[in-house]
Amino acid sequence: MNILFAASEVAPFIKTGGLADVAGSLPQKLADMGHDVKVILPLYEGISQQYRDKMRFLFHWNCRLAWRTPYCGVFELREGNISYLFVDNEYYFKRAEIYGHYDDGERFAFFSRAVIETPAHLDWHPDILHCNDWETALVPIYLLEERERIWQLRGTKSVYTIHNIEYQGRYGDQIIQDLLGLHPGYMNEHMLAFHGDVNLMKGAIYAADYVTTVSPTYANELQYPFYAHGLEGVVADNRWKMRGILNGLDVGLYDPANGAGLAAPFTADDLSGKAACKRALQQAVGLREDPNVPIIACVSRLVKHKGFELVADAIHDIMGMNVQMVVLGTGEWNFEEAFRQAQAQYPGRFAARLQYSAALSTAIYGGADIFLMPSLAEPCGLSQLIAMRYGTIPVVRETGGLRDTVIPHGVFGDTGFTFANINARDMVWVLGEAVGLYHNDKEGWRVLQHNAMTKDFSWNSPAREYEDVYYQITGIPRPIEPSLEAAPVPAAEPSVQAEPEADPIQEKKPAAVKKAAVKKAAPKAEKKPAAKKSAPKAEKKSAPKKAAAKTKAETPAPAKETPAPKAEASAPVKETTAPKAEAPAPAKESPAPKAETPAPAKETPAPKAEAPAPAKETPAPKAEAPAPAKETPKSRT
C-alpha cells in the first residue's frame, strides 16, 4: 500500500530525540516489506550540505493557511526504496533551532497544510497518512476537511502516534480561525477545546482513524493523570482505537560487531573488544584508567521527568561505591550545575560532558558497564535498547517502555536491573546490586551481557503490528505470503474431510439403517437402467401412498422397492417405532424379515463398494427379495 509518513525530524537528516530514530528506521522497514513509502519533513537550516547536494527540486505552489498563501516548495531525495520529501519555506524553517520559537504553532500548521496538499501535486494516492506528535497533529484534522475536496485523498486513513504526551501543542483559542484556518465549530464540539485553549494533540486523537503509542505499558499509563498530563479523559474516550506498539531499533546502525565509532569491535560471544572500548572512553572523558572498576553512564536530556532529580540527590551515595561515572547531555541548569560540582569533587572518577555529541554517545554505549535511566515517565526509550545492544547493563525504573524491554535480574532471560518506586534510595540499592554482581560474579555478569546483546529489538515485529493497523483501518486485505501459497496443507484437506461427511450419519444409525443407506445409494445409480421395465408404472401407484405417510425425502425410494406391494403395507407399521434417524430406511427394509437384522453388520465396512451390487439383484422375482443381503459377500470375492 501507499504510505505517507510525516514527522518534524527524521534521522539521519536532522535529530534531537527518539522521534527522529523512529521516523528514520520504521519507514525503511515498511519499504523493505514491499510498501510504497514516502517520508515528508521540513527543510531545516540544520540539514547538512551533503544531503542538499542529493536533492532535486520537484515543484512549488502557494499553500493555503487561513488568509495566508505562503510559498511552499518540495525537494526530493531518493535513498534506496524511499522517497524523502523536504518542505521548503525559509521564513519558517531557516532557523538555528528546530523547536522553541514564538511562532511554532504557525510553523507547524504550515507544515501540516503542506503534508495534506502535497499528494495532489504528486498525483499520488496515499492509503495511509502516518503522523507523529503535536507538530503534525493538525494533519488528521485537515484530512477531515480535505478528504472529499482532493481526490488523491479519497479513502485515505490517518494514524497518529503519541511519542510523548507531555508536549501537546496548546495555544489560545484566538488562533483557531486566524492561524489554523478552521471553523469555530471545532471549539464548540470540543474536538480542540481544552480548558478554554486549543489543544492540537487532543484534536488529533479524536480526528485520527487510529492512535498508537510507542509501548504497550505507556498506552496503559496514559489512563492516569500522572502520565497523561490532563488528557486522561480524552484517552479514555478513544481507547477503542488506541494501541501500544513497542518501538524497534535500527540494529544495522547500532551494531558493535562492525566497530563503527568504537575503539574495537566485539560480539556477544567475544567481548574482548569491549575492554579496549572502555579504556578509550576513560581516556576520552578524563577518567582514571582502571579495567576493574565499573563505569556508570547517563546519556540523556537533563530534565526532571528523566529522573535526574534522583541522580542529583544520590550522587554522593553513588560515588561512595567503587565506581566511575560519566554524564552526557544538556538540560535544566540546576542539574548541569550539580554535575559540574561532582566532577570537581571527584576528579578522575566523575566526568560531566554538558553537550550533545553523537560520537561521544557511541563511545559511552560501547565502553560503559552500567547504564542508569531512572525516568519518572518514559514512553518507550531507545537509550536502554542501544545500551543492551552494546553489552552495557541497564538499571531503569519500571515505567513505560523501560518496563517492556528490560527483564529484571533473577528472572529467566534477565537483561538488567529495575526498581519501581520514584525513590533515590531504591535506585541506589539496585545500583549496589548491579555493582556487586560486577565485582563478585564475573560469570553471572557475562551471562547478563549475553542475554542483553542477543535479545531481538529489531523492527521486524513492530513493523508487522503497524501493518496490521494499516490493513485494519483501510480494509485492504493482507497479501498472502509466498510461503503460505506453496504450502501443501490446503490441497490435502478435501480428501481428509470427504469421509467425515458420511461417517457421522452412519455412526448414529443402527446396523439395519446402515444397510438401508447402502441400498438407497444403489437405486440412485440405477435410475437409467431401471427405467426399462415395470419401475415407472409402480412409481405412479406407490409413490403417492408413501408421500402421505412418510416425508418428502422418501419419495424416490419406492420406485425401486415396488416389486413387494403387500409386504410394504404391513412393514411401515413395524418401523414406526424406530428413532427419527431411521425415517428414510423403512421404504427399502420393509420386505426384509426380522431374521435378517444381523446380516447388515457384515455389509457396513464397505458402504460404497456395495452400492453397485444391489443393481444386479433388482430384476429378481418377488421371492428373492431377501437374497441380496446373502449374495453380496460372494460377489466381492
Side-chain angles (χ1 to χ4, degrees):
M1 63 176 64
N2 298 338
I3 303 170
L4 181 59
F5 197 94
S8 57
E9 55 182 275
V10 178
F13 309 109
I14 195 80
K15 176 181 176 180
T16 63
L19 169 60
D21 289 315
V22 174
S25 52
L26 174 57
Q28 182 62 62
K29 183 61 182 178
L30 292 171
D32 293 341
M33 295 167 72
H35 301 288
D36 184 1
V37 183
K38 299 183 188 298
V39 180
I40 187 167
L41 69 156
L43 183 59
Y44 295 109
E45 175 69 13
I47 295 177
S48 64
Q49 191 63 38
Q50 64 172 329
Y51 297 118
R52 292 176 180 268
D53 292 340
K54 299 178 182 178
M55 298 178 189
R56 68 184 184 93
F57 177 76
L58 292 184
F59 45 76
H60 78 278
W61 76 98
N62 290 332
C63 183
R64 179 170 56 85
L65 183 63
W67 52 269
R68 307 166 188 80
T69 55
Y71 159 85
C72 180
V74 174
F75 289 81
E76 182 187 35
L77 188 153
R78 296 287 305 186
E79 286 286 343
N81 50 2
I82 295 185
S83 173
Y84 294 94
L85 304 174
F86 295 85
V87 177
D88 176 42
N89 185 298
E90 292 188 351
Y91 174 76
Y92 291 128
F93 302 129
K94 192 175 182 180
R95 307 186 186 188
E97 301 295 333
I98 297 178
Y99 311 118
H101 300 282
Y102 75 97
D103 60 345
D104 276 356
E106 180 179 349
R107 295 171 67 225
F108 291 107
F110 165 78
F111 175 60
S112 297
R113 288 295 314 183
V115 171
I116 288 294
E117 296 182 11
T118 295
H121 294 275
L122 289 173
D123 195 15
W124 177 75
H125 165 68
D127 298 299
I128 292 292
L129 264 176
H130 192 150
C131 40
N132 302 267
D133 267 355
W134 79 267
E135 293 87 358
T136 57
L138 281 165
V139 172
I141 301 172
Y142 286 145
L143 183 60
L144 295 179
E145 295 275 320
E146 304 295 342
R147 182 176 279 153
E148 299 302 325
R149 299 179 187 175
I150 302 175
W151 73 266
Q152 288 86 353
L153 296 179
R154 291 183 180 179
T156 298
K157 302 296 183 180
S158 59
V159 175
Y160 181 68
T161 299
I162 302 172
H163 294 263
N164 192 338
I165 205 170
E166 183 177 356
Y167 305 101
Q168 301 173 2
R170 185 173 174 181
Y171 297 95
D173 62 350
Q174 66 274 10
I175 73 166
I176 187 75
Q177 288 180 281
D178 183 65
L179 184 61
L180 307 182
L182 295 173
H183 193 274
Y186 283 99
M187 292 292 290
N188 300 336
E189 296 173 359
H190 303 287
M191 178 178 279
L192 290 171
F194 186 76
H195 300 289
D197 293 336
V198 169
N199 189 310
L200 301 182
M201 181 173 283
K202 176 188 175 183
I205 294 174
Y206 276 110
D209 293 293
Y210 209 91
V211 181
T212 66
T213 65
V214 290
S215 71
T217 297
Y218 190 58
N220 294 329
E221 289 176 343
L222 292 184
Q223 300 177 76
Y224 302 99
F226 178 79
Y227 297 99
H229 295 276
L231 292 183
E232 61 275 5
V234 177
V235 171
D237 286 346
N238 293 274
R239 286 294 299 171
W240 61 275
K241 62 174 182 179
M242 183 174 289
R243 176 179 180 180
I245 300 177
L246 188 66
N247 279 344
L249 189 68
D250 188 343
V251 294
L253 178 63
Y254 300 103
D255 185 6
N258 60 29
L262 302 176
F266 57 92
T267 64
D269 298 321
D270 183 9
L271 290 168
S272 58
K274 192 169 176 64
C277 295
K278 182 175 183 176
R279 182 170 58 254
L281 174 62
Q282 290 172 330
Q283 295 173 354
V285 299
L287 296 176
R288 184 174 64 250
E289 292 186 32
D290 189 343
N292 299 317
V293 176
I295 300 177
I296 300 174
C298 294
V299 179
S300 175
R301 287 181 296 115
L302 308 180
V303 294
K304 183 178 180 179
H305 83 268
K306 290 292 187 180
F308 281 100
E309 191 172 39
L310 305 181
V311 179
D313 290 344
I315 195 166
H316 300 297
D317 295 330
I318 295 173
M319 298 309 298
M321 307 176 194
N322 185 19
V323 298
Q324 296 177 353
M325 190 167 183
V326 57
V327 176
L328 173 65
T330 60
E332 299 175 10
W333 70 270
N334 54 328
F335 299 133
E336 291 185 358
E337 185 60 27
F339 296 140
R340 286 193 190 96
Q341 293 181 7
Q343 180 174 260
Q345 188 171 355
Y346 303 100
R349 296 186 59 213
F350 191 100
R353 294 294 179 266
L354 306 178
Q355 63 186 74
Y356 174 76
S357 171
L360 184 55
S361 66
T362 302
I364 291 174
Y365 287 126
D369 300 291
I370 298 171
F371 192 85
L372 179 59
M373 201 169 177
S375 303
L376 306 187
E378 192 65 57
C380 177
L382 294 178
S383 296
Q384 83 278 11
L385 303 182
I386 300 171
M388 286 188 281
R389 182 78 172 149
Y390 285 87
T392 301
I393 303 304
V395 176
V396 304
R397 194 179 88 79
E398 295 176 3
T399 181
L402 301 180
R403 182 178 181 179
D404 293 329
T405 55
V406 180
I407 302 174
H409 179 59
V411 179
F412 178 77
D414 49 0
T415 58
F417 295 82
T418 67
F419 63 98
N421 297 324
I422 303 175
N423 188 294
R425 291 183 180 274
D426 288 0
M427 181 189 71
V428 173
W429 179 271
V430 174
L431 268 176
E433 289 183 336
V435 172
L437 183 67
Y438 179 88
H439 283 299
N440 303 322
D441 188 0
K442 294 296 184 182
E443 183 61 28
W445 187 261
R446 294 290 183 270
V447 171
L448 205 61
Q449 287 181 305
H450 188 275
N451 291 344
M453 295 181 71
T454 55
K455 191 170 179 61
D456 182 16
F457 292 118
S458 69
W459 275 104
N460 293 335
S461 179
R464 190 76 172 178
E465 292 188 60
Y466 276 110
E467 258 195 339
D468 292 339
V469 171
Y470 298 159
Y471 285 122
Q472 175 184 338
I473 63 177
T474 59
I476 299 175
R478 179 187 287 277
I480 299 176
E481 297 180 0
S483 58
L484 297 179
E485 289 179 350
V489 177
E493 284 180 356
S495 61
V496 176
Q497 293 178 354
E499 289 185 2
E501 289 181 0
D503 288 345
I505 299 176
Q506 294 179 359
E507 289 175 1
K508 292 180 182 179
K509 298 180 182 179
V513 179
K514 292 181 181 180
K515 180 180 178 182
V518 174
K519 293 185 177 181
K520 182 178 178 181
K524 289 182 180 179
E526 294 173 353
K527 283 183 179 180
K528 293 182 179 180
K532 297 178 181 179
K533 295 187 178 182
S534 60
K537 297 180 180 180
E539 283 180 3
K540 297 179 181 179
K541 297 179 181 180
S542 61
K545 294 179 181 180
K546 294 179 181 179
K550 302 298 178 177
T551 59
K552 294 181 180 180
E554 299 176 13
T555 54
K560 286 80 182 182
E561 298 294 332
T562 50
K566 293 182 181 181
E568 288 177 4
S570 58
V573 178
K574 297 178 182 180
E575 291 294 329
T576 50
T577 57
K580 294 183 179 179
E582 301 178 9
K588 300 164 187 177
E589 291 297 320
S590 56
K594 293 183 179 179
E596 287 186 23
T597 52
K602 300 178 181 179
E603 297 178 355
T604 52
K608 294 184 179 179
E610 291 179 330
K616 299 177 181 179
E617 298 294 330
T618 50
K622 296 179 182 178
E624 294 181 17
K630 299 178 181 179
E631 293 183 4
T632 48
K634 296 180 180 180
S635 62
R636 284 188 291 176
T637 59

